[in-house]
């Protein structure tokens, strides 16, 4: 059983007396027993630690001057092994510097020899009161930290839910891509699982892929819902959305750089011909390369007013055709493996081919 757990179960009226002089131990034992304490004894620092390991107590009365391990060394060891133990150091001289050293080392009080029984009781009572106050403060801090952590978690959940709601509201503007961000996130997670990315990257990838198109809030609805291919000017207008989204989210996601990278760079190309920064190959963040494959696959398999969605096989062929130019070949291969292993849900092609508004979970 760990020392801290033993400490929690220790009797509040028990103590350990440590002194290399048997007569001094006997004197202190009589005083403490008369005050209702169960007493354990040790003649050295090493013996005291062995006793504490078997019989944890809330109070230790220890002589300072002992051979091999003195009171200061014993105090330091107790602070490590059983920090809630109240230690009272006993010295043979009224040395102020020595007393200060002991108090700074964690002792809750000290006694000087010779001492009277009433003085022992007063010092012990004071030390135990300090110990009780320290434990209460520690428990309060722990409860407060737990409450703060819980509230922070709730605020984070509400914050992320608000962002997702914003992304969902955006998709209402473009009825033909309803559910797109959710599907892209699922595909991206499937690729991430095959590539075995870190937990931190995975968490931020999930958020970034859900919010990757949030910048389309700044794109004209007439362009988003145009029933036909876009002109060059309209396409350029649509392709402003990564930077728009990045600007919107940068103040909100300062601590999530991978998520922001997905939003800004999901239209970068592996050959450096993408937008907005013309990043090339490995210079494009991995989370972004993953999202680019997931995003393009969903776009190809989703129907539009002017075209039907591709089949899964056709979309995979298209991804492989552009691996090394538009897409990272490793991410394309990982996505293909995810589909083969059923780690990624295949799109319902019949639903995708419908041209009216279709809600897809």
């Amino acid at each position: 059983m760990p020392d801290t757990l033993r400490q929690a179960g220790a009797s509040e009226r028990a103590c350990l007396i440590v002194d290399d002089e048997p007569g001094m131990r006997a004197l202190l034992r009589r005083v403490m027993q008369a005050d209702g304490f169960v007493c354990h004894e040790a003649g050295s620092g090493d013996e005291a630690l062995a006793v504490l390991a078997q019989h944890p107590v809330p109070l230790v009365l220890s002589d300072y001057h002992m051979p091999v391990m003195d009171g200061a060394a014993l105090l330091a060891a107790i602070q490590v092994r059983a920090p809630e133990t109240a230690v009272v150091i006993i010295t043979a001289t009224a040395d102020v510097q020595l007393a200060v050293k002991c108090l700074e080392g964690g002792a809750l009080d000290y006694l000087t020899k010779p001492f009277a029984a009433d003085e022992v009781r007063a010092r012990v009572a004071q030390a135990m009161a300090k110990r009780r106050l320290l434990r209460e403060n520690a428990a309060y801090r722990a409860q407060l930290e737990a409450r703060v952590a819980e509230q922070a978690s709730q605020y984070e959940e509400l914050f992320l839910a608000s962002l997702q709601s914003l992304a969902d509201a955006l998709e209402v503007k473009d009825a033909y891509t309803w559910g797109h961000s959710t599907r892209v996130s699922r595909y991206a997670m499937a690729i991430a699982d095959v590539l075995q990315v870190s937990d931190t990257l995975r968490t931020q990838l999930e958020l970034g892929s859900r919010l990757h198109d949030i910048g389309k809030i700044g794109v004209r609805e007439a362009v988003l819902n145009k029933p036909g291919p876009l002109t060059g000017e309209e396409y350029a207008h649509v392709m402003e959305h990564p930077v728009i989204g990045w600007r919107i989210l940068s103040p909100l996601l300062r601590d999530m750089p991978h998520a922001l990278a997905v939003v800004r760079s999901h239209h970068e190309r592996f050959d450096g011909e993408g937008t907005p920064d013309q990043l090339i190959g490995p210079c494009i963040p991995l989370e972004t390369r993953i999202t680019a494959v997931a995003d393009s696959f969903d776009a190809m398999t989703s129907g539009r007013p002017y075209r039907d969605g591709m089949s899964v096989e056709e979309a995979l062929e298209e991804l492989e055709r552009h691996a090394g130019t538009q897409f990272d070949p490793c991410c394309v291969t990982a996505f293909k493996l995810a589909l083969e292993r059923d780690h990624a849900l295949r799109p319902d092609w019949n639903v995708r081919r419908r041209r009216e508004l279709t809600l897809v979970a």
Side-chain angles (χ1 to χ4, degrees):
M1 181 184 296
D3 290 336
T4 53
L5 294 181
R6 292 178 180 276
Q7 183 73 17
S11 168
E12 289 299 303
R13 303 299 287 180
C15 69
L16 171 62
I17 300 169
V18 188
D19 200 303
D20 58 331
E21 297 181 12
M24 184 58 64
R25 294 202 305 271
L27 175 61
L28 285 170
R29 183 179 66 248
R30 287 194 294 272
V31 173
M32 298 303 292
Q33 286 178 336
D35 207 31
F37 278 81
V38 174
C39 299
H40 303 274
E41 297 181 33
S44 67
D46 289 333
E47 185 182 346
L49 293 177
V51 172
L52 283 174
Q54 295 298 317
H55 305 286
V57 293
L59 172 67
V60 172
L61 300 170
S62 175
D63 188 26
Y64 184 86
H65 297 287
M66 296 185 295
V68 184
M69 179 184 291
D70 64 13
L74 175 60
L75 172 62
I78 292 174
Q79 286 290 296
V80 173
R81 302 186 185 194
E84 290 188 353
T85 302
V87 179
V88 176
I89 295 293
I90 303 171
T91 66
T93 58
D95 188 333
V96 175
Q97 291 184 342
L98 182 61
V100 170
K101 177 183 176 181
C102 293
L103 294 174
E104 289 178 345
L108 295 188
D109 217 322
Y110 69 95
L111 279 164
T112 57
K113 302 176 184 177
F115 46 75
D118 288 342
E119 185 181 4
V120 173
R121 295 188 182 97
R123 297 291 188 179
V124 165
Q126 185 169 295
M128 294 298 284
K130 290 179 182 177
R131 174 180 180 269
R132 183 167 54 254
L133 180 60
L134 289 173
R135 295 184 72 189
E136 290 173 354
N137 287 342
Y140 175 75
R141 285 197 302 271
Q143 293 174 358
L144 184 60
E145 289 172 0
R147 288 177 60 189
V148 170
E150 182 181 358
Q151 289 179 346
S153 177
Q154 291 175 349
Y155 288 145
E156 182 178 2
E157 291 177 4
L158 289 172
F159 170 66
L160 296 180
S162 298
L163 290 179
Q164 182 58 45
S165 296
L166 181 59
D168 292 342
L170 172 63
E171 290 184 357
V172 174
K173 294 177 62 178
D174 185 1
Y176 300 98
T177 60
W178 182 273
H180 169 69
S181 65
T182 300
R183 295 191 299 271
V184 169
S185 181
R186 289 176 179 173
Y187 296 147
M189 291 299 96
I191 297 172
D193 288 342
V194 174
L195 295 178
Q196 297 182 332
V197 305
S198 68
D199 291 341
T200 298
L201 183 59
R202 195 179 191 283
T203 298
Q204 295 192 35
L205 170 62
E206 183 173 18
L207 177 62
S209 58
R210 282 183 174 271
L211 302 175
H212 72 284
D213 274 345
I214 203 165
K216 286 184 177 178
I217 196 170
V219 176
R220 298 190 299 272
E221 289 189 37
V223 175
L224 281 179
N225 294 315
K226 183 179 179 180
L230 302 178
T231 66
E233 184 277 330
E234 290 169 338
Y235 180 77
H237 175 54
V238 170
M239 293 309 292
E240 293 173 357
H241 77 270
V243 173
I244 294 173
W246 177 76
R247 287 174 178 167
I248 291 172
L249 294 176
S250 287
L252 305 174
L253 300 180
R254 293 189 186 94
D255 297 329
M256 305 191 79
H258 301 299
L260 284 174
V262 170
V263 174
R264 181 181 180 90
S265 303
H266 64 279
H267 280 296
E268 297 287 354
R269 289 172 54 103
F270 203 68
D271 59 8
E273 297 297 320
T275 188
D277 302 307
Q278 292 78 52
L279 302 178
I280 300 176
C283 293
I284 305 171
L286 175 59
E287 59 271 22
T288 297
R289 286 177 268 147
I290 291 173
T291 304
V293 172
D295 186 27
S296 295
F297 178 79
D298 188 70
M300 287 187 286
T301 55
S302 297
R304 298 293 292 176
Y306 51 87
R307 65 162 172 82
D308 291 331
M310 292 182 181
S311 67
V312 170
E313 292 70 26
E314 290 171 331
L316 285 176
E317 289 176 4
E318 192 70 10
L319 290 175
E320 291 177 325
R321 185 177 302 114
H322 293 281
T325 54
Q326 184 173 352
F327 307 112
D328 180 347
C330 292
C331 293
V332 173
T333 300
F335 185 49
K336 186 176 180 181
L337 287 173
L339 287 172
E340 290 175 352
R341 298 171 183 174
D342 292 328
H343 291 174
L345 293 175
R346 289 173 172 261
D348 185 338
W349 190 52
N350 292 323
V351 172
R352 292 292 193 283
R353 291 176 63 89
R354 295 180 62 183
R355 299 187 181 185
E356 67 273 13
L357 174 60
T358 303
L359 301 185
V360 180

